[in-house]
């Protein structure tokens, strides 16, 4: 123990000198410009990294808010375009309806002008198949010149066809008994062979009229699709107005005449407008 104390006592000046030298070296090292620059660089890099991170976060939130606002604007513009599209489609439908109505009115006007009889255009306002007659009510009456037993025709699909005749007249409305009614009888003939007969209705639910009293000998000359027209006898109906077309021909064994099914040329389920003819005026030219 005593030897160790003597060692440190002898070596103390050398130890102090070594510590002083080490301290001097470290002081010089830390005092150099390279270390200061490195420290400054490290500090700048750290601050730059923080600033870059803050900028990125700020930019992210700013872009997100901007995108949300842009989406709102786009949504409003999209909704406005949708409204415009709906309005355009509605306008297109209206234009189509107006064009169809104008075409119909033009056809009716042309038909009316081509008639040599005085005619009264009318619109169907009611149908009553459960009444005494399978009545069709129109919006024209006595004040418009309509009279009982006047014939009624229509123009549909480019074809003129017989509708029926007036059976009841009021001041502003009238009722038509259509050709398909049980009580309707029309003197007709086949347009091709000119064979005559009587066409009778079978009710509103029946898909055809019946033509009777056509001689059996005509069976070989008649064909499906042949047109049946009015004879014009007794001035009840205009002559040669189409009533229907032949859909079936029956040859009863014990009868002397044919029984022919006739499909009406007028589609009564779609009929909207008719013409009441005044047979007391003019001469028919067809």
């Amino acid at each position: 123990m005593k030897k160790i104390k003597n060692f440190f006592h002898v070596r103390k000046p050398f130890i102090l000198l070594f510590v002083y030298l080490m301290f001097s070296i470290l002081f010089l090292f830390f005092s150099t410009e390279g270390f200061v620059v490195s420290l400054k660089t490290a500090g700048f890099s750290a601050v730059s990294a923080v600033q870059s991170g803050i900028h990125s976060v700020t930019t992210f939130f700013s872009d997100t808010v901007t995108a949300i606002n842009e989406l709102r604007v786009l949504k409003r513009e999209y909704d406005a375009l949708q409204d415009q599209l709906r309005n355009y489609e509605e306008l297109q439908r209206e234009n189509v309806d107006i064009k169809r109505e104008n075409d119909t009115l033009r056809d009716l006007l042309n038909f009316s002008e081509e008639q040599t009889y005085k005619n009264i255009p009318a619109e169907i306002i009611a149908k009553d198949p459960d009444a005494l007659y399978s009545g069709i009510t129109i919006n024209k009456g006595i004040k418009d010149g309509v009279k009982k037993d006047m014939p009624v025709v229509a123009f549909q699909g480019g074809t003129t066809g017989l509708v029926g005749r007036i059976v009841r007249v009021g001041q502003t409305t009238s009722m038509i008994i259509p050709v398909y009614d049980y009580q309707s009888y029309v003197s007709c003939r086949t347009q091709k062979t000119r064979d005559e007969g009587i066409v009778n209705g079978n009710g509103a639910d029946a898909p055809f009229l019946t033509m009777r009293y056509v001689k059996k000998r005509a069976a070989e000359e008649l064909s499906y699709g042949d047109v049946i027209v009015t004879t014009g006898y007794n001035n009840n109906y205009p002559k040669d107005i189409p009533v229907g077309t032949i859909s079936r021909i029956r040859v009863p064994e014990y009868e002397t005449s044919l029984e022919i099914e006739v499909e009406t040329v007028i589609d009564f389920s779609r009929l909207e407008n008719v013409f009441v003819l005044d047979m007391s005026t003019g001469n028919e030219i067809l």
Side-chain angles (χ1 to χ4, degrees):
M1 188 71 179
K2 185 175 180 181
K3 289 181 179 181
I4 294 172
K5 289 181 178 181
N6 290 332
F7 175 79
F8 279 104
H9 180 73
V10 176
R11 302 289 183 183
K12 183 177 181 180
F14 294 102
I15 295 172
L16 291 175
L17 178 61
F18 178 76
V19 171
Y20 175 76
L21 289 173
M22 292 298 296
F23 179 78
S24 298
I25 291 170
L26 291 173
F27 178 77
L28 289 173
F29 176 78
F30 284 110
S31 299
T32 60
E33 183 177 358
F35 175 77
V36 175
V37 171
S38 298
L39 184 63
K40 289 181 179 180
T41 302
F44 178 77
S45 298
V47 172
S48 297
V50 172
Q51 289 178 341
S52 177
I54 294 173
H55 176 72
S56 297
V57 172
T58 304
T59 301
F60 171 76
F61 283 107
S62 176
D63 292 343
T64 301
V65 172
T66 301
I68 292 173
N69 290 332
E70 290 178 351
L71 286 175
R72 288 175 179 171
V73 172
L74 289 175
K75 179 65 168 57
R76 286 195 297 269
E77 292 177 351
Y78 174 78
D79 291 340
L81 289 174
Q82 285 288 92
D83 291 338
Q84 291 179 5
L85 180 60
R86 283 191 291 270
N87 292 334
Y88 176 75
E89 291 175 346
E90 183 177 352
L91 183 61
Q92 285 293 94
R93 286 192 294 270
E94 291 177 354
N95 287 339
V96 170
D97 292 339
I98 291 173
K99 184 179 183 304
R100 182 168 55 247
E101 183 177 352
N102 287 339
D103 291 341
T104 300
L105 291 175
R106 182 172 58 252
D107 291 340
L108 294 175
L109 178 60
N110 291 337
F111 174 79
S112 176
E113 291 176 346
E114 290 172 359
Q115 298 302 306
T116 56
Y117 292 118
K118 177 184 177 182
N119 59 85
I120 305 167
E123 182 180 353
I124 293 174
I125 57 175
K127 295 180 180 180
D128 188 8
D130 295 326
L132 176 61
Y133 301 108
S134 300
I136 298 176
T137 304
I138 58 175
N139 64 346
K140 296 295 175 67
I142 294 173
K143 73 171 189 174
D144 303 294
V146 178
K147 298 177 183 179
K148 187 177 178 180
D149 292 326
M150 281 185 172
V152 182
V153 298
F155 183 77
Q156 186 183 71
T159 302
T160 301
L162 184 66
V163 174
R165 62 184 176 86
I166 300 294
V167 293
R168 189 182 304 164
V169 186
Q171 287 296 319
T172 58
T173 61
S174 301
M175 179 176 287
I176 303 168
I177 178 174
V179 292
Y180 58 73
D181 187 89
Y182 288 108
Q183 302 179 72
S184 174
Y185 294 90
V186 182
S187 177
C188 295
R189 61 164 53 100
T190 58
Q191 189 179 54
K192 183 173 68 174
T193 65
R194 312 307 285 180
D195 290 291
E196 298 176 1
I198 300 295
V199 172
N200 177 216
N202 296 302
D205 296 330
F208 58 87
L209 312 176
T210 301
M211 186 174 186
R212 296 182 174 88
Y213 311 116
V214 178
K215 299 300 181 180
K216 278 188 174 181
R217 58 177 171 73
E220 297 179 358
E221 300 179 59
L222 297 177
S223 305
Y224 299 123
D226 285 352
V227 179
I228 306 299
V229 298
T230 56
T231 62
Y233 291 163
N234 301 320
N235 211 34
N236 291 327
Y237 296 97
K239 183 181 179 181
D240 287 336
I241 294 294
V243 176
T245 57
I246 296 176
S247 59
R248 185 178 180 183
I249 301 173
R250 293 195 185 99
V251 185
E253 186 176 353
Y254 300 104
E255 298 288 339
T256 59
S257 61
L258 301 175
E259 188 173 284
I260 302 173
E261 291 184 3
V262 179
E263 182 180 352
T264 60
V265 295
I266 295 296
D267 183 351
F268 285 87
S269 66
R270 298 183 177 182
L271 189 60
E272 299 179 25
N273 300 281
V274 298
F275 291 87
V276 182
L277 302 182
D278 186 350
M279 299 288 290
S280 65
T281 62
N283 293 318
E284 184 179 16
I285 300 176
L286 291 176

